[in-house]
Amino acid sequence: MTNYTVNEFLEQTKQSDHSEEKFGLERGRILIANLEDDKIWAKTGSMIAYHGDIKFEREGITEHGIGKLLKSKLTGEEMELMKAQGTGQAYFAEDGKKISIIDLKGESITVNSNDLLAFEDGLDWDVHSMKSIAGAVSGGLFNVKIEGEGMVAITTHYDPLTFKVSKDKPIYTDPDTTVAWSGNLNPDINTDVSFKTFIGRESGESIQMKFEGDGFVVVQPYEEIYYNSVGNQ
């Protein structure tokens, strides 16, 4: 156990200066957003602190259109967005999960709706349902495709691992550990019959996501089993 004086504790835990870019990281698990009379989008309930003149509002129908709002609502709490708008610094986190910032330069990325923390305003995005996996596993049903110019913050339990996908080397992943993949990939569902022989075993190991083509896929060393608000309560 480490004992600190008050001044030592303040020195050890003080915030860093991350005013250079729109998004920055504090200790790998806190996202810092620098706002200059503009806005970003973040998962509802993820704000932990802020300073300056910033307002936080839930996503409204007029923000992204009723179609996107209804689709994001279908994902349950995992995809409810709020707008942070104004001038100052806002801090976001989720369950102590590790945060990675991806700076898109005209590329696209698809993120599991449960693992999307925040993104810059101006990026194009839409919610997609993986109908081929619906009802087969608890996670991985809804995902968000984001593209354009700007930063995206995703979360993982522990350190993420990225696999390169190529035409001659498809990658198979457990849906409950799959976090994100390059936007040009469209995963299929692969069923491993041998795993079905384990009576009473319900796992993504018998139902896998198959990635083929040229791109990447991100996984985490944790089976993130969550229940969607539609049909899983």
Side-chain angles (χ1 to χ4, degrees):
M1 180 177 180
T2 303
N3 296 320
Y4 297 103
T5 66
V6 171
N7 287 336
E8 288 172 339
F9 179 74
L10 294 177
E11 182 64 27
Q12 286 288 329
T13 60
K14 68 180 180 181
Q15 68 184 90
S16 304
D17 182 14
H18 291 280
S19 58
E20 298 272 329
E21 294 185 307
K22 179 62 65 179
F23 284 173
L25 286 180
E26 190 73 71
R27 293 167 179 81
R29 301 180 187 276
I30 299 174
L31 176 71
I32 304 168
N34 294 294
L35 298 172
E36 297 180 1
D37 195 23
D38 57 356
K39 62 186 176 184
I40 63 145
W41 295 93
K43 182 177 290 188
T44 299
S46 63
M47 187 274 289
I48 62 171
Y50 77 94
H51 62 80
D53 183 15
I54 302 176
K55 295 186 183 299
F56 300 88
E57 299 177 353
R58 285 182 179 267
E59 177 186 17
I61 294 176
T62 59
E63 299 287 355
H64 297 120
I66 190 169
K68 284 185 180 179
L69 179 64
L70 290 175
K71 283 192 286 185
S72 64
K73 291 292 185 184
L74 283 174
T75 71
E77 295 295 330
E78 291 82 15
M79 187 48 200
E80 287 194 7
L81 294 174
M82 66 179 178
K83 174 176 61 178
Q85 184 170 22
T87 300
Q89 282 189 323
Y91 297 78
F92 304 89
E94 185 186 21
D95 299 332
K97 294 167 70 176
K98 185 157 188 174
I99 300 170
S100 298
I101 299 172
I102 302 171
D103 192 1
L104 297 179
K105 302 291 187 181
E107 304 102 334
S108 62
I109 187 171
T110 301
V111 185
N112 188 307
S113 63
N114 193 49
D115 302 312
L116 179 62
L117 180 62
F119 56 92
E120 285 193 70
D121 186 50
L123 285 166
D124 293 325
W125 65 275
D126 201 1
V127 178
H128 297 275
S129 170
M130 293 187 62
K131 295 180 181 179
S132 59
I133 201 172
V137 294
S138 57
L141 175 59
F142 289 96
N143 52 71
V144 186
K145 186 174 182 178
I146 304 175
E147 56 190 334
E149 301 272 346
M151 294 187 178
V152 180
I154 65 174
T155 61
T156 55
H157 289 276
Y158 313 105
D159 293 328
L161 176 64
T162 299
F163 292 98
K164 176 69 175 175
V165 181
S166 61
K167 292 180 180 178
D168 60 347
K169 186 181 179 181
I171 298 294
Y172 301 84
T173 65
D174 182 335
D176 294 331
T177 68
T178 306
V179 174
W181 55 91
S182 48
N184 61 303
L185 297 181
N186 293 304
D188 292 323
I189 298 305
N190 182 69
T191 302
D192 191 330
V193 178
S194 62
F195 272 103
K196 287 187 174 182
T197 61
F198 291 106
I199 298 174
R201 172 68 170 166
E202 294 183 1
S203 171
E205 288 153 1
S206 62
I207 300 171
Q208 305 143 5
M209 298 175 74
K210 180 182 180 181
F211 294 87
E212 290 183 291
D214 289 307
F216 63 86
V217 58
V218 184
V219 299
Q220 61 184 355
Y222 183 92
E223 288 193 271
E224 191 165 24
I225 299 175
Y226 62 96
Y227 292 89
N228 193 271
S229 62
V230 180
N232 283 320
Q233 292 185 355

